Amino acid sequence: MRRDAFVHTAHPARVLFGRGQVDQLPAELDRMGLSRVVVICTPGQEALADAIATLCGHRAHSTYPHATMHVPSSVTTAAEQHLAKHRIDGAVAVGGGSSIGLGKALALTTELPLLAIPTTYAGSEMTPIWGITSDGEKTTGRDVRVLPHTVLYDPDLTLTLPTSTSVSSGMNALAHAAEALYAPDRSPITDMMAGEAARALTSALPAVAANPADHSARTDLLYGAWLAGACLGATTMSLHHKLCHVIGGTLDLPHAEVHAVVLPHVLAYNLAGPTHAADALSQALDASNPVEYIYSLNTRLGSATSLQELGMAREDIESVVSRTTANPYSNPRPVTAEAIRAIVSDAFDGSSPRAHSTESAAAITVVA
Ligand code: NAD
């Protein structure tokens, strides 16, 4: 890629990174001029939200433990009413993409400022992408107003994330980095971030799986997730993200786990033949075959390897194929029904990623 002419979109965010950075929360809220915030989390993370609210001191009004994956509109509406009723002046979202997703939806509809404290590796805090689900359909859009003003990454808060969730969430982050390497709008800056993210994530994941309390590995994993999230926010994702959106959204399967299962199979197709992305990923992972490396990493770390075990039925394969080929989007190789069928069938069975033919591998293709 030429380094003398490119476009890179960097999104504004103040990031505080490192162990103990959560202690800066009161000062950050003061900096944002907030004195009556709500602390958002998912059900089950109330203790974490309570601890965050305590840290906020007099600046916290309440906790709101009702964030739900894919941001149902009913949850957003109820939260809006809570904000209005109690004259809340800002939100602190602590947790994963579900919690931050609700914070972003509220930032969109109420324009109240958001501070994010991510404790998974999904990367939503780094993107202007919002999503709200109504009647089973998820509507997404891009709007810079949903970006958190401040992001606090504190690895100590990720120590309680179960090992299996840590692994699948780390693979979700790896998917952002991998697809950024062949994005139509990639730049030398996103290439740099994606390579560094892939390196940090894949070196830290085995260490975290072996010892979830390994502070140093948790720090590297969160660092990689930050960079991968920045790639997700700065570039256009391709087939892998489209497929996971269709599979996870329409079949209601868990987001990060679907990413972990599908990633090696899409990469087997998109990285077939000599490409810049294949070289960059090989270098980052220090592996001659990044596809096999990622597939065996899933197996080695005990992550799910088949869509079947996540609850998908074989009859769903055809509807995934038709939904994934229905609308145009960019991909480094042509997206044909035949290719999608092969990818989804392999992911469904959990078989080793197949060697795809390298014909017409060169062009960025928009599916008609
Ligand atoms: P999640 O937020 O649902 O979290 C996964 C699980 O981890 C939950 O059960 C949660 O309670 C638990 N958890 C979180 N922090 C924990 C902690 N510190 N200790 C113990 N458990 C903890 O899932 P996710 O994968 O982080 O996010 C998925 C959602 O985010 C999806 O809806 C996806 O579409 C969205 N997303 C959006 C973007 C974007 O740019 N808009 C990017 C990535 C993901």
Side-chain angles (χ1 to χ4, degrees):
M1 146 152 294
R2 284 177 53 181
R3 291 204 179 142
D4 53 350
F6 58 87
V7 175
H8 171 69
T9 306
H11 295 295
R14 176 175 161 84
V15 173
L16 281 74
F17 185 93
R19 295 187 63 191
Q21 286 287 22
V22 73
D23 294 340
Q24 300 305 315
L25 178 56
E28 287 304 309
L29 293 177
D30 290 346
R31 198 171 182 278
M32 289 166 69
L34 302 179
S35 58
R36 200 172 166 84
V37 300
V38 64
V39 179
I40 298 167
C41 70
T42 41
Q45 299 310 313
E46 289 88 347
L48 178 59
D50 285 347
I52 294 296
T54 302
L55 199 55
C56 295
H58 62 85
R59 304 160 194 85
H61 169 269
S62 47
T63 57
Y64 199 80
H66 306 296
T68 308
M69 194 169 289
H70 304 310
V71 196
S73 57
S74 55
V75 172
T76 312
T77 306
E80 281 167 16
Q81 285 163 358
H82 178 85
L83 265 53
K85 182 175 172 194
H86 299 289
R87 291 171 286 106
I88 301 294
D89 63 3
V92 174
V94 60
S98 301
S99 188
I100 293 167
L102 176 56
K104 288 165 82 173
L106 293 171
L108 183 74
T109 57
T110 68
E111 301 201 7
L112 290 182
L114 172 66
L115 185 151
I117 309 178
T119 63
T120 73
Y121 309 115
S124 177
E125 66 283 353
M126 281 293 131
T127 86
I129 306 162
W130 57 267
I132 299 178
T133 304
S134 294
D135 300 326
E137 281 292 321
K138 188 167 183 176
T139 307
T140 59
R142 280 180 176 257
D143 193 317
V144 289
R145 285 176 300 172
V146 308
L147 285 165
H149 289 222
T150 297
V151 180
L152 286 178
Y153 285 109
D154 190 327
D156 285 354
L157 301 181
T158 66
L159 294 174
T160 50
L161 194 63
T163 310
S164 60
T165 314
S166 303
V167 170
S168 51
S169 191
M171 297 301 281
N172 181 192
L174 182 60
H176 309 329
E179 288 226 303
L181 288 169
Y182 51 64
D185 44 4
R186 60 181 253 264
S187 73
I189 311 304
T190 57
D191 277 358
M192 206 163 52
M193 292 194 297
E196 178 72 352
R199 215 179 335 271
L201 292 166
T202 51
S203 63
L205 272 169
V208 166
N211 177 12
D214 181 334
H215 290 279
S216 157
R218 284 285 189 188
T219 302
D220 287 349
L221 203 46
L222 199 56
Y223 172 70
W226 167 20
L227 294 178
C231 290
L232 178 68
T235 61
T236 304
M237 296 284 113
S238 297
L239 173 60
H240 171 78
H241 280 72
K242 173 72 181 176
L243 250 185
C244 292
H245 184 79
V246 167
I247 296 170
T250 56
L251 305 179
D252 196 25
L253 300 184
H255 174 84
E257 287 79 356
V258 169
H259 272 270
V261 169
V262 171
L263 183 61
H265 301 285
V266 171
L267 293 182
Y269 182 68
N270 277 350
L271 300 184
T275 64
H276 152 82
D279 288 349
L281 207 52
S282 286
Q283 227 177 53
L285 307 186
D286 193 20
S288 58
N289 186 334
V291 173
E292 265 174 28
Y293 182 92
I294 292 169
Y295 178 75
S296 63
L297 196 60
N298 266 338
T299 323
R300 202 153 47 100
L301 303 185
S303 185
T305 51
S306 77
L307 292 172
Q308 188 169 25
E309 66 186 288
L310 297 183
M312 183 172 162
R314 193 174 288 280
E315 304 84 82
D316 294 327
I317 294 178
E318 278 313 308
S319 76
V320 170
V321 172
S322 57
R323 280 174 186 265
T324 313
T325 47
N327 297 307
Y329 50 91
S330 70
N331 194 59
R333 294 191 68 184
V335 178
T336 61
E338 190 190 0
I340 304 283
R341 195 170 293 114
I343 291 166
V344 180
S345 300
D346 290 350
F348 178 82
D349 292 330
S351 51
S352 286
R354 71 179 71 186
H356 290 270
S357 115
T358 55
E359 270 170 40
S360 58
I364 297 257
T365 303
V366 174
V367 186

